[in-house]
Amino acid sequence: MTQLWNFSGGVHPAENKHQSTARPVRVAGIPDLLVLPLQQHIGEPAEAVVNRGDRVLKGQKIADVTMGMGVPIHAPTSGIIENIADLPVPHPSGMNDRCITLKPDGEDQWLPLSPISDYRGMERDEVLRIIREAGVCGLGGAGFPTDIKLRPPRDRKVSTLILNGAECEPYITADDMTMREQADEVVAGLKIMAWILRPERCVIGVEDNKPEAVDAMRKATEGTQIELAVIPTKYPSGGEKQLIEILTGMEVPSGGIPADIGVMCQNIGTAVAVARAVFEGKPLISRIVTITGEAVREPGNFEALIGTPVEYLLEQAGLEAERVSRLVMGGPMMGYTLHTTAVPVIKTSNCVIAATAVELPAPPPEQPCIRCGECAEVCPMGLLPQQLFWHSKASEFEKAEHLNLFDCIECGACSYVCPSSIPLVQYYRYAKGEIRIQKAEQLKADRARERFEARQARLEREQQEKEQRRKERAKAAAEAQAKKQAEAQNASAEGEATDERAAKAALVQQALARKKAKADTAKTDADVPAGETPDIPDLEKQLAHAQSKLATMQGMLDDAKAQQADNVDKLERAVAKNHDRVKRAENALADARKQLANQTESQSTD
Amino acid sequence: MAFVQQSSPHAHNARPTSRVMLWVIIAALPGLLAQTLFFGWGNLINVIWCIAVALASEAAILALRNKPVAFFLKDNTAAVTGLLLGLSLPQFLPLWVSAIAVISAIVVAKQLYGGLGSNPFNPAMVGYALVLISFPVAMTTNWAEPAMLWKGAPGFGETLGTIISAKQTAVDGWTMATPLDEYKHKIATHTAEEVLRHPTFGTGVARGWEWVNAAFLAGGLLLVVLRIITWHIPVAFLAGLTIMSLAFGNNADQYAPVTLHLLAGGTMLGAFFIATDPVSAATSHQGKLIYGAGIGILIYLIRTWGNYPDAVAFSVLLMNFAVPFIDHYTPPRTYGHHKPRRGLASRDQG
C-alpha cells in the first residue's frame, strides 16, 4: 500500500463523468478537412516543411521546429496539403493562427514505419530522438515536449516517476477511458520512460472515482514494480504539484520544477504516445477526446485525428445545436470557452463540453467581498486569495506579488466557492499579465538606459582622449617655446645686450632659418622614403614570399598526411616554422605601416 | 452560433452571501427563543424593531449613495446587524435608544466606511458601544428579571408599552442589573455565597442566562457544522476567557467564577455570532486564533478590572483595530515556500 499524504484545500465539484463513460472509445474517422495549427504547445511554433498542393502520406512530417523548443507535426492521414493560412485555433483569446489544412484522400495510406521491438539495446539518446521525431508532447496540460522533459538537468536525478491518472476535473474522462482500454500501452510507455530515467520508484496515481480504470491498471501492472496509488477524489489532486504532494509528501519549491526534488510527472496519454512512437514507429497523430455536456445526445470519448474540427466530433456525439450556450475546451474548472466549433483538436485537447444554459448558468452579479475566507480554506497552494484579489483590483501588484501571486495555479477553487460570486481567477490573470508587462517594460527601459550610459561613457572617453592629446601638444609647444626663449636669452646675453632691436632681428632670423630647415627636411622625408623610414614594398615582398612557402609546405603536409607518410612530423615542424616566419613578416609590415602613418600625422599636425 | 464567453471556472458552488446570512439568522433563533422564554417578550420586540430600523436605514443610505438598493438589501447583512443588536440590547430598552444603536451601526459604522465588506469595525458592536457609553443608565438597568415568565411576567402588550413609552419607572419591579454586574458590585462587600443567594443567580449559574448561552452555543455549533464559520475564533475566544478566569478567578470571593464568565452575559452570542463577523475579523487560521484569544482575554480584563460588567462589544472593537496588524503577520505558508512571507511588500524585498 502506497503511503498517501493530503494537500490543503480543494473542493468537490459535481463530477459529471458517468455520461461520457457509458460507451467504449469510438473512432471518430476522417473528417473532410484537417486543420493543423503550427503552434500546438508552449515553445516555438513549428515551420511547415510541405507546400500547398503537396501530397503527403499518413505519418509524414509536415512541420518541424529547427530552432528552440518544440516537436514536429505529422500528417494524420494521407492527402493533399490544401493551404497554409491563418485560421481559428483553440486558444482562450479566440485568435487565429497559422495552420496547415490537409484534404484527406480517403486512402489513409501510411508512410513506411520503422517500429522497434527492443529499445533496451539502443542508446538512450536515440530513443529520445525517436520520441521527439514522433512529435510527442505532454497530452495533459501545456504540451511540453516530452523528450526535453525526459532529459532532466544533469545534477537532478529523477528518483520518482509519477504517471498522472488522477484526472480530477469534472466531465473529462479521456484518461479514464485510456486506462480502461489501453492499460498495457500505458504501462509499456511508462516502462520506456522509466528505462530512460532509471528512477527508484514508479507510481501511477488514479482517483478513486475510476474503479474500472484502477482494475485495468492493476491487471496491467501485476508482476511489475510499478506502484498503483488510488487517491481520494478531490479537486485539484490532478494538479502536478498536488499529486506530487499526495504521493510523496514533498513540495515542489516555488519557482522550481519537480526535478528539483527528484520527481517527474507524465500524463497517461503521453505514455501511450511514447509506447506507440517506439513499438509501432507511429507519430502522435491522434488522441482521445471527451465530447460531453447536456447539449450532446450521445456523450462519449472519441479517438480523433489531430486537426479534426470540434464541429465534426460534436456532430458525431449528436449535437443539439440550439441548446448549446457555452462551449468549453477542457474542464469546467480550468477550461476556456470557444468562439466557434471550427477550431481543431490539437495535441493537448482533452475535452469539449457543449453545455446548456441550465448546466453551466451564467454566474450571478459580483457582490462585495465579505472576507469570509472560504477561498483561503479551499486554496490548494495555501495562498490568501482574498488579499490577492484586493491587491489585484487596486493595482497594488507589488503587494500581490509579495503574497505569492505567481504561485497561483489558477485551479479556480476559490472562484468556485466564493459566496460573492467574484471571478477571482480572472483578477489574478489580470494582475499576472500586468506584472509581466511591467517587467518586460522595465527590462526594455533598463536595456535602453544601459545602452545610453555606454554611449555616454564612450563619448566622454573620446572627449578625454582628445583633451589629453591636445594637452600633450600644448605641452610640447610650451616646451619648444621655453627652449626658444632660453636660446634667445642666451643669444642676447652673448651679443650686445643693449641693442634689443638687433637681438630681436636675430631671433626672427633664427626662427625663419629653423622654419626653412624644417620645411626642407619634410620635403626630403616625403621625397625619399628610404633611410629612416622602412621600405614597405620590400616588406610586402618578403611577406608574400613567406606566405607562398607556407602554402607549399602545408600542401606537402596534407599530401603526406593523406598518404600516412613517415615525414609528417618533420613537415609539421616545417609548417610551424613557416607560420612563425609569416607572422613575423606580417608584424614587421604592420609596424612599418604604423610608423609611416605616425610620421605623416606628425607632419600634418605641424 | 454565439456562445457565452466566460473566464474559468465555469462551475460554481457558491453559497451566496444572502444564504450565509440567512443561516446566521436561523442559527440565532434558539437563542432568541430562550431569551423570550426566560426574559419575556422584550428581546423579540427588540429584534423585530432593530431589523426593521436596520433595513430602513440601509435602504435610505444606499439610496443616498446611489447604490442599487434592492440588490444590497437582499444580501441579508443589514438584517443580521439588526438581529444581533436586538439580541444583545436590554429587554426594556426604550425604542429610540435601540434605533440610535441600529442607525449608527448601519449608517456610520457600515455604509460611511464604504458599505458591505469595507467596514473595519463590527457595525453591531459600534452601535452597542455607542449607546452603552451615551446612555449608561438605560443600558444597565433595563435588563429583565430572569425567569419571570414563570411568575406573572408582563405580557406582550405591557412589554411593548414599556419599551415605547418614555416612562421607564413603571417597570422598576421587573428590571435589574445583569448577573455579571450584580456579582461585580456585591462581591466587594459580600462573600461569594451571599452574592449567589440573589435571585438572579438561581440554583444554577445565572438563572435564565445559562440557558440562553447554551442555546446560542447550540446555534453556534450549527454554524460551525455548516462551515459558515470556522472553529478558530469561538474556540480561541472561549479559551482565552476560560484561561484568564482560571488563572485569576480561583477565589470566588474576589472574582467571578469561570462558569459565570462563560454562561452569564453575552459570552456565547459574542463568541459564535459577533466575533465571527468575517468582514471585521482576522483572515488566516493563525490570525483568527490570535484575534479570538485577544477578545477572550480583553473581555476578562474589562469585566474584572474595567468599569463595565460585560465587555464583548469593547473587546471585539479593540481587536478589530488590531486586525490589519494581525493579518500582516499571520499569512499562511504558501506551497513550495519555506516560510510565510510576513509584513508588507517593500521594494527592497525580492
Side-chain angles (χ1 to χ4, degrees):
Chain A
M1 200 56 201
T2 311
Q3 190 190 349
L4 297 180
W5 282 264
N6 190 13
F7 68 91
S8 61
V11 290
H12 294 93
E15 289 173 22
N16 281 310
K17 289 189 184 243
H18 61 278
Q19 296 97 316
S20 54
T21 54
R23 296 174 189 74
V25 174
R26 283 169 272 176
V27 176
I30 305 169
D32 294 338
L33 195 70
L34 289 161
V35 181
L36 295 136
L38 290 173
Q39 174 109 54
Q40 300 203 7
H41 52 67
I42 53 168
E44 294 302 312
E47 269 175 59
V49 294
V50 288
N51 293 313
R52 200 169 157 175
D54 286 359
R55 179 166 194 270
V56 292
L57 293 177
K58 184 173 184 172
Q60 184 179 331
K61 195 194 277 184
I62 56 171
D64 202 354
V65 180
T66 44
M67 294 284 281
M69 194 179 78
V71 290
I73 299 166
H74 302 80
T77 183
S78 59
I80 308 289
I81 301 297
E82 201 185 64
N83 207 352
I84 301 172
D86 282 352
L87 291 169
V89 292
H91 192 273
S93 69
M95 67 178 189
N96 287 8
D97 200 7
R98 213 82 183 139
C99 298
I100 298 177
T101 50
L102 173 66
K103 183 93 185 156
D105 57 14
E107 286 171 30
D108 208 25
Q109 187 188 350
W110 272 103
L111 198 76
L113 301 176
S114 45
I116 289 150
S117 52
D118 183 24
Y119 61 87
R120 283 161 209 270
M122 298 172 70
E123 286 286 315
R124 284 179 167 76
D125 270 348
E126 181 60 15
V127 176
L128 285 168
R129 197 192 60 82
I130 290 168
I131 291 170
R132 185 201 177 268
E133 284 304 303
V136 182
C137 63
L139 266 61
F144 196 87
T146 302
D147 66 300
I148 299 178
K149 197 170 175 181
L150 285 172
R151 291 179 212 260
R154 230 167 252 289
D155 55 327
R156 303 264 189 264
K157 162 109 179 75
V158 171
S159 53
T160 308
L161 175 61
I162 293 171
L163 206 54
N164 186 347
E167 202 167 44
C168 59
E169 272 250 20
Y171 284 98
I172 309 176
T173 55
D175 287 351
D176 185 0
M177 296 310 283
T178 307
M179 286 188 280
R180 288 192 205 186
E181 298 189 7
Q182 300 165 359
D184 290 330
E185 276 183 288
V186 172
V187 172
L190 176 58
K191 279 181 179 166
I192 295 172
M193 295 194 273
W195 174 77
I196 292 167
L197 296 165
R198 290 178 261 201
E200 288 150 27
R201 187 178 166 216
C202 280
V203 202
I204 305 177
V206 188
E207 272 192 346
D208 60 9
N209 61 355
K210 309 174 190 41
E212 293 90 344
V214 169
D215 283 347
M217 291 313 296
R218 186 156 283 146
K219 259 183 219 132
T221 54
E222 234 162 52
T224 67
Q225 289 184 318
I226 299 167
E227 288 172 52
L228 184 65
V230 183
I231 61 172
T233 300
K234 178 163 94 167
Y235 178 84
S237 54
E240 186 175 64
K241 290 177 174 171
Q242 280 63 46
L243 187 63
I244 288 172
E245 193 176 358
I246 293 170
L247 296 177
T248 69
M250 292 190 289
E251 291 181 11
V252 181
S254 175
I257 55 168
D260 294 341
I261 51 165
V263 183
M264 183 181 295
C265 262
Q266 295 280 0
N267 171 264
I268 291 288
T270 313
V272 174
V274 166
R276 288 187 180 168
V278 174
F279 291 119
E280 300 178 36
K282 286 182 183 169
L284 177 58
I285 51 163
S286 70
R287 66 157 297 141
I288 293 179
V289 190
T290 308
I291 305 292
T292 185
E294 281 175 13
V296 291
R297 277 189 309 276
E298 294 171 15
N301 283 279
F302 292 87
E303 171 108 40
L305 297 177
I306 306 295
T308 305
V310 164
E311 202 165 10
Y312 177 83
L313 295 175
L314 287 170
E315 265 164 36
Q316 297 219 336
L319 176 72
E320 292 169 344
E322 68 288 347
R323 295 186 65 204
V324 190
S325 117
R326 203 183 306 192
L327 201 62
V328 179
M329 185 144 235
M333 298 300 285
M334 291 186 76
Y336 50 89
T337 46
L338 294 178
H339 293 72
T340 161
T341 53
V343 299
V345 164
I346 57 171
K347 290 176 183 178
T348 53
S349 312
N350 51 7
C351 181
V352 178
I353 307 170
T356 62
V358 181
E359 191 177 10
L360 295 181
E366 182 179 332
Q367 282 174 287
C369 168
I370 55 165
R371 298 173 25 111
C372 68
E374 195 70 12
C375 47
E377 294 282 312
V378 301
C379 179
M381 296 302 285
L383 295 165
L384 286 171
Q386 79 194 22
Q387 248 85 327
L388 292 177
F389 157 68
W390 287 117
H391 295 323
S392 302
K393 193 175 180 180
S395 297
E396 296 169 337
F397 301 126
E398 224 164 80
K399 288 182 185 170
E401 233 187 315
H402 181 75
L403 289 172
N404 302 324
L405 171 69
F406 279 94
D407 284 292
C408 169
I409 56 169
E410 299 181 19
C411 70
C414 50
S415 305
Y416 178 77
V417 297
C418 179
S420 298
S421 185
I422 302 170
L424 293 162
V425 183
Q426 206 169 310
Y427 281 100
Y428 309 148
R429 286 191 187 122
Y430 159 72
K432 284 182 187 176
E434 287 295 309
I435 292 170
R436 284 196 193 106
I437 291 169
Q438 280 180 8
K439 285 204 171 143
E441 275 171 5
Q442 184 63 47
L443 201 68
K444 225 163 102 184
D446 284 348
R447 287 221 183 103
R449 204 191 57 234
E450 273 165 29
R451 269 203 308 276
F452 176 73
E453 280 169 0
R455 182 172 178 270
Q456 285 298 106
R458 179 172 55 79
L459 290 178
E460 205 162 298
R461 202 182 53 239
E462 283 174 0
Q463 187 63 41
Q464 269 173 5
E465 282 169 4
K466 219 168 159 185
E467 183 67 18
Q468 187 69 28
R469 279 201 299 274
R470 196 190 63 76
K471 271 183 186 155
E472 274 165 19
R473 280 199 305 275
K475 203 174 149 198
E479 273 169 11
Q481 191 73 29
K483 211 168 152 193
K484 230 187 296 180
Q485 271 177 4
E487 278 171 16
Q489 269 170 9
N490 285 346
S492 59
E494 275 167 25
E496 306 90 1
T498 43
D499 195 351
E500 278 187 7
R501 270 164 66 186
K504 250 183 196 164
L507 270 177
V508 170
Q509 279 301 325
Q510 268 176 354
L512 279 172
R514 259 202 317 278
K515 203 170 182 181
K516 192 165 179 282
K518 208 165 197 177
D520 286 345
T521 347
K523 222 175 181 180
T524 359
D525 280 355
D527 287 345
V528 194
E532 302 168 33
T533 45
D535 186 0
I536 301 269
D538 187 39
L539 282 170
E540 273 173 350
K541 221 182 276 171
Q542 274 176 23
L543 176 64
H545 181 67
Q547 272 171 341
S548 76
K549 200 164 181 189
L550 174 66
T552 324
M553 295 307 277
Q554 186 71 45
M556 277 165 78
L557 174 65
D558 288 346
D559 284 349
K561 263 187 182 164
Q563 290 162 12
Q564 297 195 323
D566 295 332
N567 58 348
V568 168
D569 280 359
K570 222 173 177 182
L571 281 168
E572 260 173 0
R573 272 200 299 278
V575 167
K577 220 189 230 169
N578 276 303
H579 243 298
D580 289 343
R581 202 167 285 163
V582 169
K583 201 151 266 162
R584 272 203 302 277
E586 274 172 357
N587 285 346
L589 185 62
D591 285 346
R593 282 197 178 130
K594 215 184 281 166
Q595 212 176 321
L596 198 65
N598 281 346
Q599 283 177 358
T600 327
E601 194 186 27
S602 62
Q603 277 161 24
S604 65
T605 40
D606 278 348
Chain B
M1 259 184 289
F3 303 117
V4 172
Q5 299 302 314
Q6 179 84 44
S7 159
S8 69
H10 305 282
H12 293 275
N13 184 35
R15 196 160 36 181
T17 306
S18 58
R19 207 178 317 154
V20 170
M21 293 300 155
L22 197 61
W23 274 113
V24 173
I25 294 170
I26 292 167
L29 292 182
L32 179 60
L33 186 71
Q35 283 181 330
T36 312
L37 275 176
F38 290 98
F39 300 107
W41 297 102
N43 279 116
L44 189 62
I45 295 168
N46 271 351
V47 164
I48 294 167
W49 168 243
C50 287
I51 291 180
V53 176
L55 292 176
S57 50
E58 174 107 329
I61 188 84
L62 283 170
L64 272 175
R65 292 183 64 208
N66 285 324
K67 299 272 175 185
V69 174
F71 178 77
F72 280 105
L73 276 189
K74 272 191 258 168
D75 65 26
N76 291 337
T77 51
V80 167
T81 302
L83 170 79
L84 294 177
L85 276 170
L87 293 172
S88 36
L89 291 171
Q91 286 83 4
F92 295 113
L93 191 68
L95 275 185
W96 59 273
V97 180
S98 324
I100 288 175
V102 176
I103 291 169
S104 52
I106 297 285
V107 175
V108 181
K110 183 179 175 186
Q111 292 292 342
L112 291 190
Y113 276 99
L116 177 62
S118 302
N119 47 297
F121 303 107
N122 186 317
M125 291 303 103
V126 169
Y128 189 95
L130 182 97
V131 290
L132 181 58
I133 298 168
S134 310
F135 312 101
V137 177
M139 286 292 287
T140 49
T141 57
N142 280 305
W143 294 94
E145 194 181 331
M148 51 184 195
L149 205 62
W150 320 126
K151 46 171 189 178
F156 183 79
E158 207 176 340
T159 311
L160 187 61
T162 312
I163 292 174
I164 294 172
S165 79
K167 281 181 264 166
Q168 292 288 312
T169 48
V171 291
D172 263 359
W174 319 326
T175 60
M176 61 196 316
T178 62
L180 282 168
D181 205 11
E182 192 77 25
Y183 201 96
K184 189 173 177 172
H185 287 110
K186 294 260 171 75
I187 201 67
T189 49
H190 298 72
T191 63
E193 211 180 315
E194 284 166 345
V195 174
L196 289 173
R197 248 182 257 140
H198 191 271
T200 189
F201 296 101
T203 46
V205 182
R207 203 142 54 113
W209 289 89
E210 70 248 44
W211 289 105
V212 171
N213 271 291
F216 279 122
L217 172 64
L221 291 178
L222 175 70
L223 292 182
V224 175
V225 169
L226 289 172
R227 299 179 61 125
I228 303 267
I229 58 172
T230 64
W231 57 268
H232 302 84
I233 291 176
V235 166
F237 177 119
L238 296 176
L241 181 57
T242 307
I243 290 166
M244 286 296 282
S245 49
L246 287 178
F248 292 100
N250 49 6
N251 181 6
D253 287 328
Q254 208 177 350
Y255 301 113
V258 62
T259 46
L260 205 59
H261 274 296
L262 290 178
L263 295 173
T267 306
M268 294 301 170
L269 178 66
F272 288 92
F273 291 86
I274 291 166
T276 52
D277 164 38
V279 178
S280 54
T283 48
S284 68
H285 287 169
Q286 199 193 344
K288 282 177 181 172
L289 291 175
I290 296 170
Y291 174 78
I295 295 174
I297 292 166
L298 280 174
I299 288 178
Y300 188 83
L301 296 178
I302 298 172
R303 277 181 184 177
T304 309
W305 294 291
N307 270 333
Y308 292 91
D310 200 355
V312 175
F314 292 123
S315 306
V316 168
L317 291 174
L318 282 171
M319 287 311 286
N320 285 164
F321 272 109
V323 160
F325 179 77
I326 296 172
D327 277 350
H328 276 309
Y329 289 96
T330 56
R333 185 187 65 88
T334 306
Y335 176 106
H337 288 257
H338 288 297
K339 285 186 299 192
R341 275 193 170 174
R342 297 208 159 85
L344 279 164
S346 71
R347 273 178 197 281
D348 12 355
Q349 277 175 312

